[in-house]
């Protein structure tokens, strides 16, 4: 059974940085594109970034472009999200997720992500 476990969340001041990790077990990590999403209280889950199975293609939400970087290490079955210049509006629970979609990642819908982690809290204070 495939499992995704996020880590690295915490409390940081505005302007600070965090690095989230998502470790996969029970499947062939390198076959799947992976994404990061976030959900703030009383808001819908929101797309943050997605990376292709090889890491050769990445796409970002406009709200994080230039500040966040998604990457992966297939040898370690791990997905990363480097977050810089954090803002209070980045406060949310961050989730990693897997999608079998191979093409059209720039427009992939949240419904096409089939396995999700439990989430890690990121809180940015002003």
């Amino acid at each position: 059974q495939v499992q995704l476990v996020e880590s690295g969340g915490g409390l940081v001041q505005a302007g600070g940085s965090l690095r989230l990790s998502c470790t996969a077990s029970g499947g062939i990590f390198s076959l799947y594109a992976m994404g990061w999403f976030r959900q703030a209280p009383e808001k819908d889950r929101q797309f943050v970034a997605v990376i292709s199975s090889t890491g050769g293609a990445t796409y970002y939400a406009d709200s994080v472009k230039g500040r966040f970087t998604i990457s992966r290490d297939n040898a370690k079955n791990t997905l990363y999200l480097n977050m810089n210049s954090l803002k209070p509006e980045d406060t949310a629970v961050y989730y990693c997720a897997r999608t079998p979609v191979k093409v059209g990642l720039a427009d992939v819908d949240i419904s096409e992500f089939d396995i999700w982690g439990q989430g890690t809290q990121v809180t940015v204070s002003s």
Side-chain angles (χ1 to χ4, degrees):
Q1 184 173 349
V2 177
Q3 281 194 313
L4 301 176
V5 179
E6 300 97 334
S7 61
L11 173 64
V12 63
Q13 287 189 329
S17 299
L18 280 176
R19 187 195 202 196
L20 305 184
S21 298
C22 168
T23 302
S25 61
I28 305 176
F29 179 73
S30 61
L31 291 181
Y32 295 89
M34 298 292 297
W36 286 101
F37 293 79
R38 65 187 182 186
Q39 188 166 18
E42 300 183 0
K43 291 192 176 180
D44 291 337
R45 196 165 295 190
Q46 177 186 54
F47 167 76
V48 174
V50 65
I51 187 167
S52 64
S53 59
T54 62
T58 57
Y59 301 96
Y60 297 90
D62 287 343
S63 59
V64 306
K65 205 172 292 184
R67 299 188 298 123
F68 291 10
T69 303
I70 189 171
S71 62
R72 65 191 298 161
D73 185 338
N74 285 346
K76 295 182 178 180
N77 289 350
T78 303
L79 174 74
Y80 302 101
L81 185 68
N82 283 290
M83 305 186 295
N84 297 317
S85 303
L86 283 161
K87 305 175 181 180
E89 51 263 44
D90 294 318
T91 295
V93 177
Y94 283 71
Y95 299 89
C96 64
R98 184 190 83 169
T99 178
V101 170
K102 298 293 185 186
V103 295
L105 283 178
D107 300 313
V108 66
D109 189 79
I110 189 172
S111 64
E112 297 181 279
F113 287 82
D114 59 354
I115 304 291
W116 292 81
Q118 84 290 346
T120 185
Q121 176 72 47
V122 171
T123 303
V124 185
S125 63
S126 57

